[in-house]
Amino acid sequence: MSMPDELLPKYITLLSNKSNEKKMEILKSLEKKAANPRDIKMDFALEMVEYLYSEEVAKKTKNHFIQQFVKRDIPDNIQEVGIKKGNVMDIVHTIIPEFSKGEIKRLLKQGGIKFNDDKITDPNFEIEGSGILRIGKKKIFKIIL
């Protein structure tokens, strides 16, 4: 789903097993902005996963995507991280050491870090209790103090 919208027509044209009429219908709806690209991407992804794996795996993958990225629910199998209380900059850097302090500041400024669904913008924000830490759209951790 992280493919750019402008590549979607090429992918559908080259990879989809749908009939040519159906492909043209999809491409026209994209061109006219009559359909949400996310929905078309989801259908395309479902088709590709089903082709490569199975219908069952495709359905599970779709449900997981909807749960995590559309509904913003917390997955059941998130990583638990035991830490000492501290500021968000140090905690994020401890959890994801490959993030530089500059990247973390940029994420904070853009509202990309949340603790218990509250956006954190202050790099000196102190995390003093257990909860759910979201870093960007894909990284979710259960913080245990």
Side-chain angles (χ1 to χ4, degrees), residues 31-115:
E31 189 178 308
K32 293 179 181 179
K33 299 184 192 273
N36 187 335
R38 184 195 68 198
D39 297 335
I40 293 173
K41 285 180 188 179
M42 193 176 319
D43 289 341
F44 178 69
L46 184 68
E47 180 185 354
M48 292 297 101
V49 173
E50 190 174 313
Y51 174 76
L52 294 169
Y53 297 96
S54 70
E55 185 177 348
E56 182 181 329
V57 172
K59 286 179 182 177
K60 285 181 183 177
T61 304
K62 180 180 179 180
N63 290 338
H64 174 74
F65 177 83
I66 290 171
Q67 177 189 0
Q68 186 171 350
F69 296 105
V70 176
K71 293 181 179 178
R72 301 261 190 243
D73 287 345
I74 298 166
D76 296 333
N77 58 344
I78 62 172
Q79 181 180 349
E80 292 184 3
V81 179
I83 58 166
K84 296 179 182 175
K85 71 178 184 175
N87 73 43
V88 69
M89 290 281 294
D90 294 336
I91 290 172
V92 171
H93 190 65
T94 300
I95 295 171
I96 309 173
E98 63 269 17
F99 278 18
S100 69
K101 298 279 186 165
E103 287 174 304
I104 297 168
K105 282 183 183 178
R106 193 169 32 260
L107 273 171
L108 286 166
K109 193 179 280 187
Q110 295 171 349
I113 298 179
K114 295 180 181 179
F115 186 68

Side-chain angles (χ1 to χ4, degrees), residues 9-27:
K10 286 183 181 180
Y11 286 0
I12 289 173
T13 303
L14 295 171
L15 299 171
S16 178
N17 289 325
K18 295 184 185 323
S19 69
N20 286 335
E21 295 85 27
K22 185 65 178 166
K23 287 181 190 179
M24 291 306 294
E25 184 182 313
I26 293 168
L27 296 176

